[in-house]
Amino acid sequence: MSHPYFCNQLCGASDPIALAAELISLSVNTSAYTWETAPVFTMIEREVFKHLGQLVFENKIPEDTTICDAGGGPYDGLMLPGGSLSNLAALHVARYCSKNSLHTKTFKTEHDTNFDFSLPKEEKKEDVILSKPDKPDLVAFVSSEAHYSFVKAVSVTGIGAKNLVVVPTLPNGQMDVEKLDTLMSNLPKTKVPFFVAVTAGSTVRGSFDDIDAIVRICKKQEKMIAELDPDLTRKIWIHVDGAWGGTAIFSSRKDIQSLVKGLKHVDSFTFNPHKMLGAPIQTTAFVSRHKGILKAANSTGAKYLFDPRKIGAEYDLGDASFTCGRRTDAIKLWAQW
């Protein structure tokens, strides 16, 4: 693995710059959940995602905009521990978005942070609200070449394996978008599409799905759903799993860039710099075009960590993550960039 030309589906030869950054991270030995525990690492992570969001979604930020002015840019993102957990995060925020836009045109981006950690009180019978029997099941779609982590993710999120539809692929390994369209259209009325996983570099074959074509199908399906019930807005979240091949975003070659054509239209994207870029394991970035969605889906506002009155509270990253302790991984990607 130390050979300069080593590269497999899990990792690549170590990049000396990223390795040096890893040593800095390890020597400081802190956690990037609040600004006061890791002020420099926090600002580095926010700066990385400001530029990563600009690269992925092709939105220009004024040159004189600082990280303090932009609040991390008009995007959302975090370093996460691996591609599998990034795919789980995508499914999680997609479910949050779908459930919170069920009867409205927009979804919330702020949680009530007054979270009560005390033991639950006994509920009165009349206070219990039962789920509506006609509430549709949320259905996710992945290709037969997609990473196995999505099977685990639907179980963790409660979506369930019965609501994970595997779409056949073409001979070249791409998702068959005509089949995707047909499978979505043929869902029973008790089910609704809410998530599509696009693969940018499958683990075994290295195949890339046609992002533009999948975006068109999803927009068509959203329009069809809206026509059936104008009072409902159904968002189909499009996530690109580029853990292996997502580093194509950095290529100057047009043929490589074309592999992820249409990426700017998706809702979220993940890639692993510890693969093609040779950063130490694990180095994984997750970015979304929807500013505030991670905190909206994950925040509990634990007062002993995320008190809004403290200095630097607006820069805290931990409340947007499922985990509390967070490695300072952003410095590796920042150093390479």
Side-chain angles (χ1 to χ4, degrees), residues 158-171:
I159 300 300
K162 69 180 187 303
N163 290 319
L164 180 67
V165 177
V166 177
V167 183
T169 56
L170 300 171

Side-chain angles (χ1 to χ4, degrees), residues 24-25 28 30 32 38-46 317 328 330-331:
I24 293 172
S25 172
V28 175
T30 190
V40 174
F41 291 115
T42 295
M43 302 312 282
I44 284 175
E45 186 162 351
R46 293 168 70 86
L317 298 173
T328 52
I331 190 174

Side-chain angles (χ1 to χ4, degrees), residues 240-262:
V240 175
D241 174 12
W244 182 81
T247 45
I249 60 175
F250 295 105
S251 179
S252 59
R253 288 174 47 179
K254 296 297 183 182
D255 57 331
I256 300 297
Q257 291 177 4
S258 67
L259 294 173
V260 290
K261 184 177 179 290

Side-chain angles (χ1 to χ4, degrees), residues 113-191:
T113 56
N114 297 317
F115 192 84
D116 186 3
F117 286 95
S118 60
L119 293 174
K121 297 178 182 179
E122 184 177 351
E123 292 180 323
K124 294 180 181 180
K125 190 172 183 180
E126 60 268 25
D127 290 336
V128 177
I129 301 175
L130 299 177
S131 299
K132 294 181 179 180
D134 58 347
K135 190 175 182 180
D137 290 334
L138 300 178
V139 179
F141 294 81
V142 300
S143 83
S144 57
E145 292 282 332
H147 194 259
Y148 64 84
S149 58
F150 289 107
V151 178
K152 298 182 179 182
V154 292
S155 296
V156 173
T157 55
I159 300 300
K162 69 180 187 303
N163 290 319
L164 180 67
V165 177
V166 177
V167 183
T169 56
L170 300 171
N172 64 359
Q174 280 189 343
M175 179 187 286
D176 187 333
V177 293
E178 292 185 3
K179 288 286 186 181
L180 173 66
D181 191 19
T182 300
L183 288 167
M184 283 186 172
S185 299
N186 291 341
L187 284 178
K189 292 182 179 180
T190 56
K191 296 178 181 287

Side-chain angles (χ1 to χ4, degrees), residues 10-220:
L10 298 178
C11 57
S14 180
D15 176 75
I17 294 175
L19 179 58
E22 173 86 318
L23 292 174
I24 293 172
S25 172
L26 291 172
S27 64
V28 175
N29 193 32
T30 190
S31 180
Y33 49 79
T34 60
W35 179 82
E36 65 265 34
T37 60
V40 174
F41 291 115
T42 295
M43 302 312 282
I44 284 175
E45 186 162 351
R46 293 168 70 86
E47 184 72 5
V48 163
F49 280 96
K50 169 185 164 184
H51 291 283
L52 182 60
Q54 183 177 352
L55 177 64
V56 172
F57 301 116
E58 299 182 14
N59 291 329
K60 300 298 181 183
I61 299 175
E63 291 295 330
D64 58 350
T65 300
T66 67
I67 190 64
C68 296
D69 296 329
Y75 324 104
D76 210 352
L78 287 173
M79 301 300 292
L80 296 176
S84 293
L85 289 183
S86 289
N87 291 336
L88 172 61
L91 200 67
H92 172 55
V93 296
R95 184 187 63 169
Y96 174 86
C97 176
S98 181
K99 287 183 176 293
N100 284 273
S101 64
L102 182 60
H103 297 292
T104 62
K105 296 296 181 184
T106 59
F107 58 86
K108 298 178 183 178
T109 57
E110 294 291 338
H111 253 316
D112 178 6
T113 56
N114 297 317
F115 192 84
D116 186 3
F117 286 95
S118 60
L119 293 174
K121 297 178 182 179
E122 184 177 351
E123 292 180 323
K124 294 180 181 180
K125 190 172 183 180
E126 60 268 25
D127 290 336
V128 177
I129 301 175
L130 299 177
S131 299
K132 294 181 179 180
D134 58 347
K135 190 175 182 180
D137 290 334
L138 300 178
V139 179
F141 294 81
V142 300
S143 83
S144 57
E145 292 282 332
H147 194 259
Y148 64 84
S149 58
F150 289 107
V151 178
K152 298 182 179 182
V154 292
S155 296
V156 173
T157 55
I159 300 300
K162 69 180 187 303
N163 290 319
L164 180 67
V165 177
V166 177
V167 183
T169 56
L170 300 171
N172 64 359
Q174 280 189 343
M175 179 187 286
D176 187 333
V177 293
E178 292 185 3
K179 288 286 186 181
L180 173 66
D181 191 19
T182 300
L183 288 167
M184 283 186 172
S185 299
N186 291 341
L187 284 178
K189 292 182 179 180
T190 56
K191 296 178 181 287
V192 64
F194 87 107
F195 179 87
V196 176
V198 183
T199 302
S202 61
T203 305
V204 177
R205 301 179 62 182
S207 55
F208 286 74
D209 290 338
D210 187 337
I211 301 174
D212 268 337
I214 292 172
V215 169
R216 286 195 297 271
I217 295 300
C218 290
K219 296 303 179 187
K220 170 189 171 184

